[in-house]
C-alpha cells in the first residue's frame, strides 16, 4: 500500500470517527456504535503507525514497500 492510499484510508476513518463523535454528543451512541468507535480509533493508530514506518524507511534510503501493518495489539501497547 502506497502512502497516498494509506492517507486516503486515514481520511475515511477520520470521517467515520467524526460522524460517530457528532452523534455521541447529540443523541448518544448505542453499544455497537461505541464498539465501532473504539475499533476506528485502533485502526487509525494502526494506519498512522504504518505510515510512520514507511516514512522512516524512506528517510534511511530503505524500501518502504517492505513494511506491513503491525497488529492492533502491538500498536496499542506502545507507550506514549
Amino acid at each position: 500500500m502506497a502512502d497516498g492510499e494509506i492517507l486516503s484510508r486515514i481520511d475515511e476513518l477520520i470521517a467515520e470517527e467524526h460522524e460517530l463523535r457528532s452523534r455521541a454528543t447529540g443523541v448518544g451512541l448505542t453499544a455497537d456504535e461505541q464498539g465501532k468507535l473504539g475499533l476506528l480509533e485502533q485502526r487509525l493508530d494502526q494506519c498512522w503507525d504504518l505510515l510512520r514506518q514507511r516514512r522512516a524507511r524512506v528517510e534511511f534510503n530503505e524500501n518502504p514497500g517492505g513494511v506491513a501493518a503491525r497488529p492492533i495489539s502491538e500498536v496499542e501497547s506502545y507507550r506514549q
Side-chain angles (χ1 to χ4, degrees):
M1 186 180 274
D3 288 3
E5 292 173 293
I6 297 168
L7 287 167
S8 291
R9 182 66 181 137
I10 288 171
D11 287 341
E12 292 169 8
L13 293 169
I14 288 172
E16 281 185 73
E17 180 187 29
H18 285 176
E19 180 187 333
L20 284 172
R21 288 195 186 282
S22 68
R23 271 194 266 155
T25 57
V27 181
L29 298 177
T30 65
D32 286 343
E33 289 172 326
Q34 290 173 355
K36 184 177 180 179
L37 182 57
L39 185 57
L40 283 170
E41 292 169 347
Q42 292 173 342
R43 287 186 178 157
L44 269 168
D45 289 346
Q46 190 178 36
C47 286
W48 282 117
D49 177 68
L50 178 59
L51 191 60
R52 281 190 293 273
Q53 286 184 73
R54 291 180 54 80
R55 288 178 174 175
R57 286 213 171 201
V58 168
E59 182 179 345
F60 291 98
N61 297 315
E62 295 179 16
N63 178 10
V67 297
R70 295 177 185 157
I72 288 174
S73 60
E74 184 177 336
V75 173
E76 291 300 309
S77 66
Y78 293 153
R79 292 184 184 205
Q80 296 294 322

